Amino acid sequence: MRKEPFLYVIAFVVDGCFALLGICVPLLAMGIGATYDDLGAISATSALTYALGCFVGGNLTDRIGYRRFMIVASLGIALVCVSYLAVDQLWQLFALAGLTGAMMSGFWPPLQAWLGVGKDRGQLLQVVGRFNVCWSLGILIGPVLGGTLYAVDPSRGFTLAAALMGMIFVFVLRLPVREEAATERKEVGRPGSLALARRFLPVAWIANFATFFATGTVRSLFPKLATDLGIDPALLGKLLGLIGLMQVIFFFFIARTDRWQFKLAPLIGIQLMAVVGLGILTLGSSQIYFAFGLLCQGALIGTTFTSSAFYSLHAEGPGGKRTGIHEGLIGSGMLVGPLAGGLMAEHVGPRAPYLLAIGVLFCAIVVEIYLVNRKRY
């Protein structure tokens, strides 16, 4: 099997399982008495181990091998999914959340670095776009499936995730993968694109951190707000699935043009749209308002994740370190966002976390403008 389709299928299944856990774990936690503080801390625990694993393991993946890391990680995730079936106390959820983050950190950076091996700028735009569409389809389907299964039987979602990750472990371990011969990386289309990529890389990283601060806050805390407002698990899953739907749409179209590359305006424009969406989550109470706010989050992820992944891979040398930082900043955002948001929700009000996320996005925009103007000459 060719490397690219192999990695696309894996990305779809793994992120589908991750999104499925993303709705089933908060629902399970609320069933055993979790508060806003607890929900934020559980999500932050997973994000902490994920961020640390990405920052530490990025260099190791280049030396040890991308596929070897993925074999160990997929087996570990499958075992963690099985362990969720035995949870009956909150401390167990914290432990499993930490293990989930650690195992995921051994999966995504090597997968993306392996995907980018031997690709020039034009090829990267295509493979990153297809990869993003595939994992976003998983994010779209996972919450819908997880919410539906949880409403029928809380154990079914975890059982399905364990079975799928076991299948991925076997695929990564045994399935022959055909590597294309690595070609010399060339700068395509725009002279000096590697230099421009180095200039925009920290800008994209900052934007992506802010994005996942906001997204981590929404994914970890919105389920409780929705439940308190009387939204059932099946409908909640469909609402959260809208994030993945908009990601897919944005990834699909972004992969078909390079006009957004090396420009700040598209990045800031989409961040401002996300601010509007978070404002709607802060003030709205109807399902229609919530749907629009969540769609804005999907658009934000689609834009900043593509930018960060593209600039991380469009550079000379092995990509494990840069994709490790890229994913580590995602984990850092998903650490700080739910943790700070959980405290805000518990002690200020259930809508306060979204105001905090708005503030972080505005700060990111200011820093991005400063960095681009500082490095212009």
Side-chain angles (χ1 to χ4, degrees):
M1 187 176 186
R2 287 179 55 241
K3 179 184 75 173
E4 286 79 9
F6 172 73
L7 295 179
Y8 297 154
V9 171
I10 288 176
F12 167 71
V13 175
V14 173
D15 242 352
C17 291
F18 182 71
L20 187 152
L21 292 177
I23 186 171
C24 289
V25 169
L27 290 171
L28 176 63
M30 285 186 283
I32 53 180
T35 64
Y36 276 112
D37 278 342
D38 295 325
L39 291 175
I42 289 169
S43 182
T45 300
S46 177
L48 173 63
T49 55
Y50 182 76
L52 291 175
C54 289
F55 286 131
V56 172
N59 279 327
L60 292 177
T61 62
D62 290 326
R63 297 200 296 267
I64 294 175
Y66 305 138
R67 189 165 188 167
R68 290 173 182 168
F69 257 77
M70 292 168 62
I71 289 170
V72 175
S74 56
L75 177 60
I77 297 167
L79 294 175
V80 169
C81 290
V82 171
S83 301
Y84 277 111
L85 296 171
V87 167
D88 58 7
Q89 297 182 54
L90 277 177
W91 71 265
Q92 296 167 339
L93 281 179
F94 279 95
L96 291 176
L99 289 172
T100 300
M103 292 299 103
M104 285 289 185
S105 73
F107 201 92
W108 289 117
L111 188 153
Q112 292 175 67
W114 190 10
L115 186 66
V117 170
K119 300 293 188 294
D120 61 27
R121 177 186 167 193
Q123 293 168 328
L124 272 181
L125 181 60
Q126 295 177 6
V127 299
V128 169
R130 292 167 185 162
F131 164 73
N132 287 342
V133 168
C134 288
W135 71 259
S136 292
L137 285 172
I139 291 289
L140 167 62
I141 295 171
V144 178
L145 187 58
T148 302
L149 290 174
Y150 198 92
V152 176
D153 183 346
S155 68
R156 291 191 180 183
F158 298 113
T159 302
L160 177 61
L164 290 173
M165 289 308 307
M167 179 187 71
I168 292 298
F169 165 70
V170 174
F171 282 0
V172 179
L173 179 67
R174 303 295 299 175
L175 194 65
V177 176
R178 187 172 72 253
E179 285 267 17
E180 295 181 358
T183 58
E184 182 181 354
R185 181 164 292 181
K186 300 177 181 178
E187 298 191 34
V188 179
R190 183 189 295 267
S193 67
L194 290 177
L196 282 170
R198 287 193 296 271
R199 174 179 154 194
F200 273 85
L201 179 57
V203 174
W205 278 348
I206 289 169
N208 214 31
F209 169 82
T211 291
F212 283 90
F213 181 102
T215 299
T217 300
V218 171
R219 286 194 177 279
S220 63
L221 302 178
F222 181 74
K224 183 164 177 59
L225 174 64
T227 301
D228 291 344
L229 292 174
I231 296 175
D232 64 82
L235 179 57
L236 172 60
K238 293 180 177 65
L239 285 171
L240 289 174
L242 293 175
I243 298 176
L245 173 63
M246 189 56 79
Q247 284 178 218
V248 171
I249 293 171
F250 265 68
F251 284 147
F252 180 83
F253 286 106
I254 287 174
R256 278 153 179 76
T257 179
D258 63 358
R259 297 180 66 180
W260 55 270
Q261 293 174 8
F262 316 119
K263 295 177 182 176
L264 186 59
L267 203 58
I268 291 179
I270 209 71
Q271 287 174 300
L272 292 175
M273 188 178 83
V275 165
V276 174
L278 287 166
I280 290 173
L281 291 180
T282 304
L283 301 174
S285 296
S286 76
Q287 297 165 14
I288 297 297
Y289 290 143
F290 289 152
F292 182 80
L294 295 171
L295 286 169
C296 289
Q297 284 298 299
L300 178 66
I301 297 169
T303 303
T304 64
F305 184 94
T306 299
S307 298
S308 181
F310 175 81
Y311 297 131
S312 295
L313 292 172
H314 187 50
E316 297 175 349
K321 180 179 180 179
R322 293 185 301 275
T323 56
I325 295 173
H326 158 76
E327 289 291 329
L329 288 170
I330 289 174
S332 299
M334 296 188 74
L335 161 66
V336 182
L339 192 60
L343 291 172
M344 292 282 287
E346 193 69 27
H347 301 290
V348 179
R351 311 294 183 111
Y354 310 121
L355 291 175
L356 178 63
I358 289 172
V360 169
L361 282 171
F362 273 127
C363 289
I365 290 171
V366 171
V367 175
E368 291 157 24
I369 294 172
Y370 168 75
L371 287 175
V372 169
N373 289 334
R374 186 189 67 173
K375 297 187 176 184
R376 180 163 293 170
Y377 300 105

